Amino acid sequence: MSAARFATGARVRILDLPTPGHVRTPRYLRGAQGIVERHCGAHRNPEALAYGRDGLPRIDLYRVRVSLAELWAGAAAGDVIEVEIYDHWLAPC
Amino acid sequence: MLTCTGEGGADYYALMTEALHRSLLDSGVLTPTEVDRMIADLAAPNAGWGAALVARAWVDSAFRDRLLNDGRAAAAELGYTIKEAGLIVLENTLDTHNLVVCTLCSCYPRSLLGQPPWWYVSKAYRARAVREPRVVLAELGYPVPEATRLRVHDSTADMRYLVLPLRPAGTEGWDAGRLAGCVTRDAMIGAAPARLPGSD
Amino acid sequence: MSGYHDIGGRPAGPVGAHDPAPPDWALRAEALRNAVQRYRGALTLDELRRTFETMGENLYDGLGFYERRTEAFARLLEEKGLATMADIHARMDAIAAARGQVVDHTAKTVGPG
Protein backbone atom coordinates (compact mmCIF):
# COMPACT_ATOMS: atom_id res chain seq x y z
CA MET A 1 0.00 0.00 0.00
CA SER A 2 1.44 3.37 -1.01
CA ALA A 3 1.95 6.15 1.52
CA ALA A 4 -0.68 8.86 1.84
CA ARG A 5 -0.08 11.77 -0.55
CA PHE A 6 -0.53 14.55 2.00
CA ALA A 7 1.08 14.98 5.39
CA THR A 8 -0.64 16.63 8.34
CA GLY A 9 -0.21 20.35 7.87
CA ALA A 10 0.00 20.22 4.07
CA ARG A 11 -1.75 23.04 2.23
CA VAL A 12 -4.44 21.72 -0.11
CA ARG A 13 -7.19 23.00 -2.35
CA ILE A 14 -10.60 21.28 -2.55
CA LEU A 15 -11.39 20.72 -6.21
CA ASP A 16 -14.66 21.27 -8.04
CA LEU A 17 -14.78 18.07 -10.05
CA PRO A 18 -17.63 17.62 -12.53
CA THR A 19 -18.34 14.12 -11.20
CA PRO A 20 -21.97 13.22 -11.90
CA GLY A 21 -24.11 11.49 -9.31
CA HIS A 22 -23.36 10.75 -5.69
CA VAL A 23 -20.37 12.61 -4.24
CA ARG A 24 -19.43 13.53 -0.67
CA THR A 25 -17.74 16.89 -1.32
CA PRO A 26 -20.21 19.64 -0.42
CA ARG A 27 -20.62 22.48 -2.92
CA TYR A 28 -19.96 25.20 -0.36
CA LEU A 29 -16.36 23.93 -0.03
CA ARG A 30 -15.48 23.65 -3.72
CA GLY A 31 -12.40 25.72 -4.47
CA ALA A 32 -11.56 26.37 -0.84
CA GLN A 33 -8.01 26.18 0.45
CA GLY A 34 -7.09 24.60 3.74
CA ILE A 35 -4.61 22.50 5.62
CA VAL A 36 -4.67 18.79 6.27
CA GLU A 37 -5.67 18.24 9.89
CA ARG A 38 -5.14 14.45 9.81
CA HIS A 39 -5.20 11.40 7.58
CA CYS A 40 -8.21 9.19 8.33
CA GLY A 41 -7.10 5.97 6.67
CA ALA A 42 -8.23 4.64 3.31
CA HIS A 43 -11.85 3.77 2.56
CA ARG A 44 -13.97 2.38 -0.24
CA ASN A 45 -15.10 5.07 -2.67
CA PRO A 46 -18.69 6.12 -1.87
CA GLU A 47 -19.10 7.39 -5.44
CA ALA A 48 -18.93 3.74 -6.53
CA LEU A 49 -20.61 2.15 -3.49
CA ALA A 50 -23.66 4.29 -4.14
CA TYR A 51 -24.23 2.37 -7.40
CA GLY A 52 -23.60 -1.12 -6.05
CA ARG A 53 -19.95 -1.31 -7.11
CA ASP A 54 -17.29 -2.41 -4.65
CA GLY A 55 -15.58 0.96 -4.32
CA LEU A 56 -12.09 -0.51 -4.57
CA PRO A 57 -9.29 0.37 -4.50
CA ARG A 58 -9.64 2.23 -1.22
CA ILE A 59 -9.01 5.96 -1.32
CA ASP A 60 -7.14 8.00 1.28
CA LEU A 61 -9.45 10.20 3.34
CA TYR A 62 -8.24 13.43 4.93
CA ARG A 63 -9.70 15.93 7.35
CA VAL A 64 -9.14 19.41 5.92
CA ARG A 65 -9.37 22.59 7.98
CA VAL A 66 -10.73 25.66 6.16
CA SER A 67 -11.03 29.13 7.58
CA LEU A 68 -14.70 30.11 7.91
CA ALA A 69 -13.80 33.67 6.86
CA GLU A 70 -12.55 32.32 3.53
CA LEU A 71 -16.01 30.89 2.86
CA TRP A 72 -18.32 33.58 4.17
CA ALA A 73 -17.96 37.33 4.57
CA GLY A 74 -18.38 38.42 8.17
CA ALA A 75 -17.32 35.14 9.76
CA ALA A 76 -15.26 35.37 12.95
CA ALA A 77 -11.55 35.43 12.13
CA GLY A 78 -10.43 32.38 14.10
CA ASP A 79 -13.37 30.08 13.29
CA VAL A 80 -12.83 27.05 11.07
CA ILE A 81 -14.69 24.29 9.27
CA GLU A 82 -13.14 20.82 9.36
CA VAL A 83 -14.36 18.32 6.80
CA GLU A 84 -13.47 14.88 5.48
CA ILE A 85 -12.41 14.94 1.83
CA TYR A 86 -11.20 12.06 -0.34
CA ASP A 87 -7.76 12.25 -1.95
CA HIS A 88 -8.98 12.67 -5.54
CA TRP A 89 -10.84 15.83 -4.56
CA LEU A 90 -7.63 17.47 -3.29
CA ALA A 91 -4.71 19.16 -5.00
CA PRO A 92 -1.59 20.51 -3.35
CA CYS A 93 -1.22 24.26 -3.22
CA MET B 1 -34.34 31.66 -1.27
CA LEU B 2 -35.00 29.91 2.00
CA THR B 3 -34.31 26.21 2.11
CA CYS B 4 -37.64 24.38 2.12
CA THR B 5 -38.07 22.64 5.42
CA GLY B 6 -41.20 20.57 5.03
CA GLU B 7 -41.83 17.87 7.57
CA GLY B 8 -44.83 16.12 6.01
CA GLY B 9 -45.85 12.55 5.35
CA ALA B 10 -45.83 10.98 8.81
CA ASP B 11 -49.10 9.03 8.55
CA TYR B 12 -48.35 7.91 5.00
CA TYR B 13 -44.91 6.60 5.87
CA ALA B 14 -46.10 4.99 9.07
CA LEU B 15 -48.48 3.04 6.84
CA MET B 16 -45.74 2.33 4.31
CA THR B 17 -43.53 0.97 7.10
CA GLU B 18 -46.30 -1.48 8.06
CA ALA B 19 -46.60 -2.53 4.43
CA LEU B 20 -42.82 -2.89 4.05
CA HIS B 21 -42.61 -4.96 7.21
CA ARG B 22 -45.29 -7.37 6.02
CA SER B 23 -43.82 -7.53 2.52
CA LEU B 24 -40.32 -8.35 3.73
CA LEU B 25 -41.59 -11.09 6.05
CA ASP B 26 -44.00 -12.55 3.46
CA SER B 27 -41.27 -12.72 0.82
CA GLY B 28 -38.79 -14.23 3.26
CA VAL B 29 -36.26 -11.44 2.91
CA LEU B 30 -36.32 -11.10 6.70
CA THR B 31 -37.52 -13.29 9.55
CA PRO B 32 -39.51 -11.98 12.51
CA THR B 33 -36.61 -12.87 14.82
CA GLU B 34 -34.23 -10.80 12.73
CA VAL B 35 -36.53 -7.78 12.81
CA ASP B 36 -36.93 -8.04 16.59
CA ARG B 37 -33.19 -8.42 17.02
CA MET B 38 -32.42 -5.36 14.93
CA ILE B 39 -35.05 -3.28 16.74
CA ALA B 40 -33.34 -4.20 20.01
CA ASP B 41 -29.85 -3.57 18.59
CA LEU B 42 -30.83 -0.07 17.45
CA ALA B 43 -32.55 0.74 20.73
CA ALA B 44 -29.59 -0.22 22.93
CA PRO B 45 -27.09 2.60 22.19
CA ASN B 46 -27.97 5.81 24.00
CA ALA B 47 -26.49 9.05 25.28
CA GLY B 48 -25.46 7.30 28.49
CA TRP B 49 -22.88 5.28 26.58
CA GLY B 50 -21.25 8.45 25.27
CA ALA B 51 -21.53 10.06 28.69
CA ALA B 52 -19.60 7.14 30.17
CA LEU B 53 -16.73 7.79 27.76
CA VAL B 54 -16.73 11.50 28.58
CA ALA B 55 -16.83 10.94 32.33
CA ARG B 56 -14.02 8.41 32.20
CA ALA B 57 -11.92 10.85 30.16
CA TRP B 58 -12.51 13.53 32.80
CA VAL B 59 -11.17 11.38 35.64
CA ASP B 60 -8.45 9.47 33.76
CA SER B 61 -6.11 11.58 31.64
CA ALA B 62 -4.39 8.58 30.06
CA PHE B 63 -7.79 7.31 28.90
CA ARG B 64 -8.63 10.80 27.64
CA ASP B 65 -5.45 10.76 25.54
CA ARG B 66 -6.35 7.37 24.10
CA LEU B 67 -9.93 8.56 23.42
CA LEU B 68 -8.67 11.62 21.54
CA ASN B 69 -6.17 9.51 19.60
CA ASP B 70 -8.59 6.75 18.55
CA GLY B 71 -12.17 7.02 19.76
CA ARG B 72 -13.22 3.65 18.43
CA ALA B 73 -10.45 1.75 20.24
CA ALA B 74 -11.01 3.64 23.49
CA ALA B 75 -14.76 3.00 23.34
CA ALA B 76 -14.02 -0.70 22.92
CA GLU B 77 -12.04 -0.63 26.19
CA LEU B 78 -15.32 0.25 27.95
CA GLY B 79 -17.22 -2.42 26.05
CA TYR B 80 -18.79 -0.23 23.35
CA THR B 81 -18.46 -1.47 19.78
CA ILE B 82 -18.48 1.38 17.28
CA LYS B 83 -19.91 0.00 14.03
CA GLU B 84 -18.95 3.00 11.90
CA ALA B 85 -15.45 3.22 10.39
CA GLY B 86 -14.08 5.66 12.94
CA LEU B 87 -14.94 7.81 15.93
CA ILE B 88 -13.15 11.13 16.28
CA VAL B 89 -13.41 12.71 19.71
CA LEU B 90 -13.03 16.50 19.84
CA GLU B 91 -11.99 18.11 23.10
CA ASN B 92 -13.49 21.45 24.10
CA THR B 93 -11.04 23.70 25.91
CA LEU B 94 -11.27 27.13 27.49
CA ASP B 95 -10.39 28.75 24.16
CA THR B 96 -11.81 26.28 21.60
CA HIS B 97 -15.32 24.97 21.12
CA ASN B 98 -16.37 22.16 18.77
CA LEU B 99 -19.70 21.75 16.93
CA VAL B 100 -20.72 18.81 14.73
CA VAL B 101 -23.08 18.76 11.74
CA CYS B 102 -23.72 16.62 8.67
CA THR B 103 -24.74 19.01 5.89
CA LEU B 104 -25.23 16.28 3.28
CA CYS B 105 -27.46 13.93 5.25
CA SER B 106 -27.46 13.00 8.97
CA CYS B 107 -24.21 11.23 9.86
CA TYR B 108 -24.07 10.70 13.59
CA PRO B 109 -22.43 8.03 15.81
CA ARG B 110 -25.62 5.98 16.05
CA SER B 111 -23.90 2.81 17.19
CA LEU B 112 -22.80 4.69 20.32
CA LEU B 113 -25.51 7.27 20.96
CA GLY B 114 -28.61 5.97 19.16
CA GLN B 115 -30.76 8.22 17.00
CA PRO B 116 -29.75 11.89 16.67
CA PRO B 117 -31.88 14.76 17.96
CA TRP B 118 -34.61 16.06 15.67
CA TRP B 119 -32.98 19.46 15.33
CA TYR B 120 -29.65 17.87 14.26
CA VAL B 121 -31.26 16.28 11.17
CA SER B 122 -33.38 19.34 10.40
CA LYS B 123 -32.61 21.11 7.16
CA ALA B 124 -32.30 24.44 8.96
CA TYR B 125 -29.45 23.16 11.13
CA ARG B 126 -27.72 21.35 8.27
CA ALA B 127 -27.87 24.46 6.09
CA ARG B 128 -26.89 27.12 8.64
CA ALA B 129 -24.46 25.44 11.08
CA VAL B 130 -21.58 25.78 8.60
CA ARG B 131 -22.49 29.33 7.59
CA GLU B 132 -23.40 31.11 10.82
CA PRO B 133 -22.53 28.66 13.60
CA ARG B 134 -22.47 31.34 16.32
CA VAL B 135 -25.99 32.48 15.49
CA VAL B 136 -27.18 28.85 15.36
CA LEU B 137 -25.57 28.10 18.72
CA ALA B 138 -27.30 31.13 20.21
CA GLU B 139 -30.63 29.89 18.82
CA LEU B 140 -29.93 26.53 20.47
CA GLY B 141 -29.42 28.37 23.74
CA TYR B 142 -25.65 28.17 23.93
CA PRO B 143 -23.97 31.34 22.64
CA VAL B 144 -20.20 30.94 22.48
CA PRO B 145 -18.05 33.89 23.68
CA GLU B 146 -16.29 35.93 20.97
CA ALA B 147 -12.89 35.07 22.42
CA THR B 148 -13.58 31.34 22.01
CA ARG B 149 -12.50 29.89 18.69
CA LEU B 150 -15.08 27.70 16.95
CA ARG B 151 -14.31 24.47 15.06
CA VAL B 152 -17.32 23.29 13.07
CA HIS B 153 -17.03 19.70 11.85
CA ASP B 154 -18.98 18.64 8.75
CA SER B 155 -19.28 14.86 8.93
CA THR B 156 -19.00 14.21 5.21
CA ALA B 157 -17.50 10.72 4.96
CA ASP B 158 -16.56 7.70 7.06
CA MET B 159 -15.76 9.28 10.41
CA ARG B 160 -18.26 10.03 13.18
CA TYR B 161 -17.82 12.64 15.86
CA LEU B 162 -18.18 13.03 19.63
CA VAL B 163 -17.54 16.30 21.43
CA LEU B 164 -15.78 15.99 24.78
CA PRO B 165 -17.30 18.92 26.72
CA LEU B 166 -15.58 20.85 29.49
CA ARG B 167 -16.05 19.31 32.91
CA PRO B 168 -18.41 21.54 34.94
CA ALA B 169 -17.20 23.36 38.02
CA GLY B 170 -18.40 22.01 41.36
CA THR B 171 -17.66 18.37 40.50
CA GLU B 172 -14.37 17.97 42.33
CA GLY B 173 -13.95 14.46 43.69
CA TRP B 174 -16.92 13.00 41.76
CA ASP B 175 -16.45 9.52 40.34
CA ALA B 176 -17.09 8.70 36.68
CA GLY B 177 -20.54 7.29 37.37
CA ARG B 178 -21.71 10.51 38.97
CA LEU B 179 -19.99 12.71 36.38
CA ALA B 180 -21.78 10.94 33.54
CA GLY B 181 -24.99 12.55 34.78
CA CYS B 182 -23.60 15.93 33.69
CA VAL B 183 -23.33 14.95 30.03
CA THR B 184 -26.26 15.27 27.65
CA ARG B 185 -26.70 14.24 24.04
CA ASP B 186 -26.66 17.89 22.98
CA ALA B 187 -23.37 18.47 24.82
CA MET B 188 -21.75 15.65 22.83
CA ILE B 189 -22.71 17.43 19.60
CA GLY B 190 -21.39 20.74 20.90
CA ALA B 191 -24.79 22.39 21.23
CA ALA B 192 -24.82 22.63 25.02
CA PRO B 193 -22.33 22.62 27.88
CA ALA B 194 -22.01 19.75 30.33
CA ARG B 195 -23.95 20.82 33.43
CA LEU B 196 -24.57 19.76 37.01
CA PRO B 197 -27.56 17.38 36.98
CA GLY B 198 -30.83 19.19 37.53
CA SER B 199 -29.42 22.60 36.61
CA ASP B 200 -30.45 24.49 33.50
CA MET C 1 -32.26 19.63 -10.39
CA SER C 2 -29.54 17.56 -8.78
CA GLY C 3 -27.73 18.29 -5.58
CA TYR C 4 -30.84 19.52 -3.77
CA HIS C 5 -29.64 17.63 -0.69
CA ASP C 6 -26.34 19.55 -0.66
CA ILE C 7 -27.61 22.41 1.46
CA GLY C 8 -24.61 23.48 3.54
CA GLY C 9 -24.45 27.26 3.54
CA ARG C 10 -27.94 27.95 2.22
CA PRO C 11 -30.22 30.37 4.06
CA ALA C 12 -32.89 28.69 6.16
CA GLY C 13 -35.22 29.38 9.05
CA PRO C 14 -34.41 29.35 12.75
CA VAL C 15 -32.95 26.37 14.57
CA GLY C 16 -34.43 25.55 17.96
CA ALA C 17 -33.76 22.84 20.48
CA HIS C 18 -37.03 21.18 19.39
CA ASP C 19 -36.43 17.49 19.91
CA PRO C 20 -39.46 15.19 19.68
CA ALA C 21 -38.59 11.50 19.99
CA PRO C 22 -38.75 9.54 16.73
CA PRO C 23 -42.14 7.80 16.41
CA ASP C 24 -42.21 4.01 16.72
CA TRP C 25 -42.83 3.54 13.00
CA ALA C 26 -39.63 5.45 12.22
CA LEU C 27 -37.58 3.22 14.51
CA ARG C 28 -39.18 0.20 12.90
CA ALA C 29 -38.33 1.51 9.42
CA GLU C 30 -34.72 2.03 10.48
CA ALA C 31 -34.63 -1.52 11.84
CA LEU C 32 -36.02 -3.00 8.63
CA ARG C 33 -33.48 -1.12 6.55
CA ASN C 34 -30.57 -2.00 8.82
CA ALA C 35 -31.65 -5.64 8.86
CA VAL C 36 -31.76 -5.88 5.05
CA GLN C 37 -28.39 -4.12 4.95
CA ARG C 38 -26.60 -6.11 7.65
CA TYR C 39 -28.24 -9.53 7.57
CA ARG C 40 -28.80 -9.82 3.81
CA GLY C 41 -25.98 -7.54 2.64
CA ALA C 42 -28.46 -6.43 0.00
CA LEU C 43 -28.01 -2.68 0.17
CA THR C 44 -25.61 -0.08 1.52
CA LEU C 45 -26.01 3.25 3.25
CA ASP C 46 -24.32 4.83 0.22
CA GLU C 47 -27.05 3.44 -2.05
CA LEU C 48 -29.71 4.73 0.33
CA ARG C 49 -28.16 8.21 0.23
CA ARG C 50 -27.97 8.11 -3.57
CA THR C 51 -31.65 7.18 -3.65
CA PHE C 52 -32.91 10.09 -1.59
CA GLU C 53 -30.58 12.38 -3.53
CA THR C 54 -32.35 11.37 -6.74
CA MET C 55 -35.98 10.93 -5.72
CA GLY C 56 -36.74 14.51 -6.64
CA GLU C 57 -36.69 17.89 -4.99
CA ASN C 58 -40.40 17.99 -4.24
CA LEU C 59 -40.24 14.91 -2.08
CA TYR C 60 -36.94 15.91 -0.50
CA ASP C 61 -38.22 19.37 0.39
CA GLY C 62 -41.67 18.32 1.53
CA LEU C 63 -41.05 15.22 3.60
CA GLY C 64 -39.64 14.85 7.08
CA PHE C 65 -36.40 13.04 7.80
CA TYR C 66 -37.64 9.51 8.54
CA GLU C 67 -40.26 9.88 5.83
CA ARG C 68 -37.54 10.50 3.23
CA ARG C 69 -35.53 7.56 4.48
CA THR C 70 -38.55 5.25 4.24
CA GLU C 71 -39.41 6.41 0.71
CA ALA C 72 -35.77 5.85 -0.31
CA PHE C 73 -35.71 2.43 1.35
CA ALA C 74 -38.80 1.31 -0.56
CA ARG C 75 -37.39 2.53 -3.87
CA LEU C 76 -34.07 0.81 -3.21
CA LEU C 77 -35.83 -2.47 -2.36
CA GLU C 78 -37.58 -2.29 -5.73
CA GLU C 79 -34.29 -1.56 -7.47
CA LYS C 80 -32.82 -4.65 -5.79
CA GLY C 81 -35.79 -6.83 -6.70
CA LEU C 82 -36.77 -7.36 -3.06
CA ALA C 83 -40.14 -5.62 -3.26
CA THR C 84 -42.17 -3.57 -5.72
CA MET C 85 -43.71 -0.17 -5.16
CA ALA C 86 -46.91 -1.45 -6.76
CA ASP C 87 -47.17 -4.22 -4.16
CA ILE C 88 -46.23 -1.88 -1.30
CA HIS C 89 -48.88 0.61 -2.40
CA ALA C 90 -51.45 -2.15 -2.75
CA ARG C 91 -50.69 -3.40 0.75
CA MET C 92 -51.01 0.14 2.09
CA ASP C 93 -54.38 0.51 0.38
CA ALA C 94 -55.59 -2.79 1.87
CA ILE C 95 -54.45 -1.97 5.41
CA ALA C 96 -56.01 1.49 5.17
CA ALA C 97 -59.28 0.20 3.75
CA ALA C 98 -59.65 -2.22 6.65
CA ARG C 99 -59.46 0.84 8.92
CA GLY C 100 -61.93 2.86 6.88
CA GLN C 101 -59.15 5.04 5.47
CA VAL C 102 -58.01 6.07 2.00
CA VAL C 103 -54.44 6.62 0.80
CA ASP C 104 -53.29 9.33 -1.61
CA HIS C 105 -49.99 8.08 -3.03
CA THR C 106 -49.29 11.35 -4.81
CA ALA C 107 -49.93 13.69 -1.91
CA LYS C 108 -48.44 11.15 0.56
CA THR C 109 -51.42 11.38 2.85
CA VAL C 110 -53.79 9.00 4.63
CA GLY C 111 -57.28 10.23 5.38
CA PRO C 112 -60.76 9.11 6.35
CA GLY C 113 -62.51 7.04 3.66
Side-chain angles (χ1 to χ4, degrees), chain A residues 17-82:
Chain A
L17 300 178
T19 311
H22 180 76
V23 298
R24 297 297 288 181
T25 305
R27 277 201 295 260
Y28 76 93
L29 285 163
R30 307 284 179 97
Q33 283 189 72
I35 63 146
V36 172
E37 187 263 356
R38 79 180 81 178
H39 176 237
C40 297
H43 304 269
R44 292 176 185 251
N45 187 353
E47 296 161 23
L49 292 172
Y51 300 94
R53 302 194 299 274
D54 67 14
L56 296 173
R58 290 171 178 264
I59 302 184
D60 286 310
L61 180 67
Y62 298 93
R63 298 192 75 247
V64 178
R65 175 177 293 157
V66 175
S67 160
L68 206 61
E70 173 174 335
L71 299 173
W72 322 114
D79 292 353
V80 297
I81 298 268
E82 298 182 16

Side-chain angles (χ1 to χ4, degrees), chain C residues 6-62:
Chain C
D6 188 352
I7 62 176
R10 294 198 197 161
V15 177
H18 182 55
D19 186 24
D24 284 347
W25 71 261
L27 299 175
R28 183 169 299 271
E30 287 293 294
L32 293 173
R33 191 262 302 169
N34 272 278
V36 173
Q37 183 179 322
R38 292 201 221 150
Y39 301 151
R40 299 289 84 83
L43 56 90
T44 64
L45 184 56
D46 309 84
E47 289 172 314
L48 189 77
R49 290 177 183 143
R50 180 260 300 166
T51 308
F52 58 65
E53 290 166 15
T54 50
M55 67 188 187
E57 197 164 4
N58 281 344
L59 285 179
Y60 194 83
D61 284 352

Side-chain angles (χ1 to χ4, degrees), chain B residues 3 12-13 127 131 139 185, chain C residues 9 11 15 19 40 71 99 105:
Chain B
T3 300
Y12 181 87
Y13 288 97
R131 179 148 195 168
E139 289 173 3
R185 187 166 67 159
Chain C
V15 177
D19 186 24
R40 299 289 84 83
E71 173 74 30
R99 296 171 186 167
H105 294 287

Side-chain angles (χ1 to χ4, degrees), chain B residues 150-161:
Chain B
L150 205 50
R151 295 169 68 193
V152 182
H153 305 270
D154 192 354
S155 187
T156 46
D158 300 83
M159 302 293 105
R160 300 293 182 270
Y161 295 87

Side-chain angles (χ1 to χ4, degrees), chain B residues 8-175:
Chain B
D11 289 346
Y12 181 87
Y13 288 97
L15 183 58
M16 181 182 280
T17 300
E18 268 192 86
L20 282 168
H21 191 174
R22 295 187 193 192
S23 169
L24 291 168
L25 293 182
D26 287 349
S27 63
V29 174
L30 295 174
T31 68
T33 305
E34 287 175 326
V35 177
D36 289 346
R37 189 185 351 146
M38 185 55 78
I39 289 175
D41 278 359
L42 294 185
N46 62 83
W49 290 14
L53 296 181
V54 169
R56 175 74 184 274
W58 284 341
V59 301
D60 178 346
S61 61
F63 179 79
R64 186 203 66 209
D65 292 346
R66 294 196 299 277
L67 187 66
L68 296 177
N69 185 54
D70 182 342
R72 201 159 178 251
E77 287 182 40
L78 267 56
Y80 303 120
T81 303
I82 302 296
K83 293 194 164 74
E84 297 86 355
L87 180 69
I88 291 183
V89 182
L90 305 158
E91 187 181 34
N92 284 352
T93 66
L94 292 175
D95 54 33
T96 301
H97 182 77
N98 294 282
L99 180 68
V100 183
V101 62
C102 177
T103 63
L104 294 173
C105 48
S106 67
C107 299
Y108 184 76
R110 287 174 172 79
S111 67
L112 179 70
L113 302 179
Q115 297 302 314
W118 189 94
W119 58 263
Y120 180 86
V121 303
S122 73
K123 292 175 196 122
Y125 181 73
R126 288 170 47 211
R128 295 176 56 227
V130 295
R131 179 148 195 168
E132 39 185 7
R134 289 175 180 272
V135 178
V136 168
L137 279 166
E139 289 173 3
L140 286 166
Y142 188 31
V144 170
E146 257 186 68
T148 304
R149 169 185 167 232
L150 205 50
R151 295 169 68 193
V152 182
H153 305 270
D154 192 354
S155 187
T156 46
D158 300 83
M159 302 293 105
R160 300 293 182 270
Y161 295 87
L162 183 79
V163 173
L164 177 55
L166 285 166
R167 176 174 176 168
T171 60
E172 295 70 29
W174 289 24
D175 66 21

